[in-house]
Amino acid sequence: MPVEITWWGHATCTVEDSGVRVLTDPLFARRLAHLRRRRGALPPPDARRADVALVSHLHADHLHLPSLGRLAPGTRLLVPRGATRTVPALGRLTHLRMREVEPGDETVIGGLVVRAVPARHDGRRLPLGPHRSPALGYVVEGEARTYFAGDTGLFDSMAEEVGPVDVALLPVGGWGPYLGEGHLDAGRAAEALARLAPRSAVPVHYGTYWPIGMDAVRPHEFHAPGEEFVRFAAERAPGVAVHRLGHGESVRLEVAR
């Protein structure tokens, strides 16, 4: 059975594997604080349909309470350990089946096993206090092993801790003119690709949201990361098939083990 990946924008993807729909970092907003959606239509209502939603960390563009509130009753939700203490409003999402996880935890959903893996990123719910939860990535294993990196920087043990994967969903940019520590740009994402050595990759986390009033400030950082990642990946990981999707586009991948 093929695995299908749909990119809805930013870090929001649907992964369909073994008859299970997995939704990553749901964000269905036209505007979020000082950010507005500059490219791609809002995801359609069908994008909210999922068996399980994965939240990589507590930043508001990854843990977006109104978007989580639109998920159907009974949807499984995995969040980083300590999230409900740090974001008490999560406790009001009583229609979701929530579980807090940390690196190494595994959750079985139908024919899938979802394993939380480490990420190198600030896990706080900025700017609302000192409480920390781990930033996570996830490996979704069914017919394929799909790695969703969330937000992360490079780290020495990345390949070892993530393990062998078939597909990598890697962040290649951000939502502002500068990337801080704990992020991958197109070049570092290509280096991560070389370390992980999957069969296929999809660049995410770029070209969707941008600060209001800053359209002319370093626009290259908004428009170019996807194309740059394709170019860098061809140089550093030529054996990996890179699929640069438009907003709402899907790719079906045949995985042979």
Side-chain angles (χ1 to χ4, degrees):
M1 180 184 297
V3 174
E4 184 166 294
I5 311 292
T6 304
W7 182 51
W8 301 111
H10 204 53
T12 306
C13 300
T14 295
V15 178
E16 297 188 63
D17 188 335
S18 304
V20 179
R21 285 176 63 98
V22 180
L23 183 64
T24 66
D25 286 350
L27 182 56
F28 305 133
R30 190 176 304 279
R31 178 172 174 176
L32 170 64
H34 64 300
L35 306 179
R36 66 180 174 92
R37 191 176 181 108
R38 283 191 56 201
R39 184 184 289 171
L42 284 176
D46 187 62
R48 307 170 197 165
R49 183 169 59 89
D51 298 291
V52 59
L54 312 179
V55 170
S56 63
H57 62 288
L58 306 190
H59 292 173
D61 57 321
H62 294 260
L63 193 166
H64 186 245
L65 290 164
S67 295
L68 294 176
R70 295 174 190 165
L71 300 180
T75 302
R76 302 280 290 274
L77 175 64
L78 304 185
V79 299
R81 181 77 64 194
T84 52
R85 177 194 64 182
T86 306
V87 188
L90 273 171
R92 295 198 287 270
L93 301 179
T94 56
H95 67 298
L96 304 178
R97 298 165 61 193
M98 192 179 316
R99 182 190 180 199
E100 295 190 351
V101 295
E102 60 188 9
D105 287 347
E106 294 185 346
T107 305
V108 177
I109 299 101
L112 299 185
V113 176
V114 179
R115 176 168 52 92
V117 298
R120 294 297 182 268
H121 190 69
D122 188 337
R124 291 176 296 173
R125 180 71 165 182
L126 299 172
L128 301 179
H131 296 304
R132 288 183 178 270
S133 292
L136 302 174
Y138 293 92
V139 175
V140 177
E141 183 164 2
E143 293 291 327
R145 291 174 296 239
T146 301
Y147 170 47
F148 169 62
D151 254 351
T152 188
L154 280 172
F155 53 100
D156 291 341
S157 60
M158 175 180 275
E160 176 185 353
E161 298 200 60
V162 170
V165 292
D166 302 297
V167 185
L169 311 180
L170 293 178
V172 301
W175 51 253
Y178 300 98
L179 281 176
E181 185 179 355
H183 291 85
L184 297 178
D185 61 10
R188 292 191 291 272
E191 174 60 28
L193 202 63
R195 298 183 187 187
L196 295 165
R199 291 181 173 89
S200 303
V202 175
V204 301
H205 203 273
Y206 77 100
T208 308
Y209 291 91
W210 204 246
I212 293 168
M214 297 186 69
D215 291 7
V217 179
R218 296 174 63 87
H220 171 87
E221 302 297 335
F222 177 82
H223 293 285
E227 294 176 358
E228 289 186 339
F229 175 70
V230 172
R231 177 166 56 85
F232 287 135
E235 297 170 356
R236 302 178 193 179
V240 181
V242 176
H243 304 274
R244 185 169 69 87
L245 303 177
H247 292 80
E249 289 187 346
S250 303
V251 60
R252 292 170 66 87
L253 303 171
E254 295 286 348
V255 179
R257 294 279 181 88

